[in-house]
Amino acid sequence: QRRATLQNSPSQPSKMSAATSFAGLAATTRPAAAARRAPAVSTRATTAPGAEPASSGASHPQRRTPPSRADDVANNVEFPRRVALVLAAAGLVAPAAPAHAIGFAKELKKKAVSDEDYLSSAPFAFRAKPHDPVRYYDVQRGTGDKLEAGKTAVIHYTCRYRNLTAVSSREARTLGGNRTIAEPLEFKFGKLPSDYSRALVRKMVVGIGAEVRVDPELRELYVVNTVFDGPADRAGIKANDAIVSIDGVGDLANVAIADIGALLIGDAGTELVVEVKKGGERAAGVVEKITLVRESTAVVPKKRVVEVEGGGGLFTGATGPKPPAVVYVPEALEGMRVGGRRNIIVPADVGYADVGESEIPPGATFRLEVELLEVRTPAV
């Protein structure tokens, strides 16, 4: 009878296929666990009080002690090794909790800055005239010393035009092997340099707004540069374009440069016709006939020389690239602290004006990135 009971007992697990679900497996094994916890029916004869127990050599096997509740807590079922491997391969085992690394909370995606995020500085005077505020955005607010008038500012700056680095103090000088070294800019904060405080004085000439020269080797009259927004610039005439004729006068390589100047200069409002070959004689371009109207234009200086002494004096960084004028405008950097980084939208008149610098063309608006490295108090 005991043998028959053990064979029909639900405690004996049946064979299961690998495709058996986890829920079905639990439903099948939980009754078996309950059966194991139920007390087994004794097959031994009952002895009277005081009588000797049955001999250990009886033919019936000794009853196995039922598992305690501590061995089977909360219906935890121990599966055979083969079943556990099948469950792991089928992905039924609960995944481990994700690890949370320390020190990697930095945002990977930069915040998109809209026009509404930019603030406006206070109005200021520039070249003896009132100037509108410039727009700026603090990328990072500094926590160090505040920049105040009379103190020396030490900054790094980068001018970006169409997302290209055009001018930067971080690449102030180029060494061998295309290596560059940084050269921070130092200046006295709080007062505009004298060169930017007085009105801009330029020599004015009535003409087409272009400087020309004769190339003795190529035997052609070519354009050296043009005045920003002058008649030649607006007509699309560029540097290195060759002028074939002026008002019907050709063979300009054999004409004296003074006579060429006389052909270009005249009364304001008068017209002249020039024939231009784009890119010079070396290019297989088509000669274009262009009608220009003479007007008063400023002569472009050969070299931009800015005197910054007498307020906002430049102490170091003189051998580096030329900073834009807005760097010295106190209102543009007002409120910055050491460690702060600020982006400024620079109009052309407080940038590189009608001359340009590096990849920044004349009259271009660009973005200036300023980082305040240090604030020094002058020694008493």
Side-chain angles (χ1 to χ4, degrees):
Q1 291 178 354
R2 177 172 178 80
R3 187 178 297 109
T5 303
L6 293 176
Q7 289 177 353
N8 297 328
S9 174
S11 63
Q12 298 297 326
S14 61
K15 295 183 179 181
M16 303 174 61
S17 64
T20 304
S21 65
F22 182 83
L25 181 62
T28 304
T29 54
R30 283 177 183 172
R36 286 199 302 269
R37 289 196 300 270
V41 179
S42 177
T43 59
R44 291 183 300 176
T46 304
T47 58
E52 293 293 329
S55 174
S56 57
S59 60
H60 296 288
Q62 186 178 1
R63 186 183 63 177
R64 185 178 299 176
T65 304
S68 65
R69 194 165 186 80
D71 295 332
D72 192 10
V73 179
N75 293 335
N76 286 333
V77 180
E78 295 183 359
F79 302 110
R81 177 179 177 84
R82 181 176 300 176
V83 177
L85 292 176
V86 171
L87 292 177
L92 298 177
V93 180
H100 298 282
I102 300 176
F104 290 92
K106 182 179 179 181
E107 296 183 1
L108 298 180
K109 186 176 181 181
K110 293 183 179 180
K111 175 187 175 183
V113 181
S114 62
D115 292 339
E116 290 76 12
D117 294 327
Y118 277 79
L119 304 176
S120 295
S121 70
F124 55 91
F126 187 77
R127 296 199 183 280
K129 293 180 180 180
H131 197 284
D132 294 333
V134 294
R135 299 170 60 236
Y136 70 92
Y137 173 76
D138 285 324
V139 179
Q140 176 177 317
R141 296 184 179 276
T143 58
D145 295 337
K146 185 177 180 180
L147 185 59
E148 298 175 346
K151 295 185 177 181
T152 300
V154 183
I155 68 170
H156 265 317
Y157 67 90
T158 300
C159 302
R160 298 192 187 276
Y161 179 71
R162 294 182 178 177
N163 294 327
L164 297 177
T165 300
V167 183
S168 178
S169 62
R170 300 181 187 276
E171 302 173 0
R173 283 185 284 178
T174 303
L175 305 178
N178 292 329
R179 295 175 299 164
T180 59
I181 59 174
E183 189 171 296
L185 176 67
E186 299 182 17
F187 62 96
K188 186 180 294 184
F189 176 77
K191 187 178 180 182
L192 202 63
S194 57
D195 190 73
Y196 297 129
S197 300
R198 56 176 178 259
L200 178 64
V201 178
R202 290 270 187 89
K203 182 182 178 180
M204 306 299 292
V205 176
V206 178
I208 65 171
E211 180 184 356
V212 296
R213 188 176 301 169
V214 175
D215 190 328
E217 296 182 359
L218 299 177
R219 304 295 298 169
E220 66 179 10
L221 180 70
Y222 70 98
V223 178
V224 178
N225 57 53
T226 59
V227 176
F228 172 70
D229 201 29
D233 182 57
R234 293 196 299 268
I237 298 177
K238 306 293 184 182
N240 294 323
D241 288 352
I243 299 180
V244 179
S245 68
I246 304 174
D247 277 343
V249 178
D251 194 17
L252 297 175
N254 295 320
V255 179
I257 194 67
D259 296 335
I260 294 174
L263 292 172
L264 296 175
I265 297 174
D267 296 333
T270 58
E271 295 183 352
L272 76 159
V273 178
V274 295
E275 291 182 329
V276 179
K277 194 171 190 178
K278 298 293 184 180
E281 292 293 341
R282 288 164 290 185
V286 180
V287 176
E288 300 181 20
K289 184 177 290 187
I290 303 174
T291 300
L292 302 174
V293 179
R294 296 181 179 94
E295 65 181 48
S296 179
T297 58
V299 177
V300 179
K302 301 295 182 182
K303 186 179 180 181
R304 297 181 73 252
V305 178
V306 178
E307 177 61 46
V308 295
E309 297 297 337
L314 182 66
F315 300 109
T316 62
T319 60
K322 197 68 171 178
V326 73
V327 167
Y328 302 106
V329 176
E331 288 78 2
L333 305 183
E334 186 69 32
M336 290 194 69
R337 292 180 175 271
V338 172
R341 293 186 291 120
R342 176 173 293 184
N343 290 352
I344 305 173
I345 304 300
V346 184
D349 57 344
V350 291
Y352 293 109
D354 57 351
V355 180
E357 186 78 14
S358 186
E359 286 83 7
I360 301 178
T365 298
F366 59 92
R367 186 176 82 245
L368 174 68
E369 301 174 358
V370 179
E371 180 180 1
L372 184 58
L373 304 176
E374 185 181 356
V375 173
R376 298 175 184 169
T377 303
V380 180

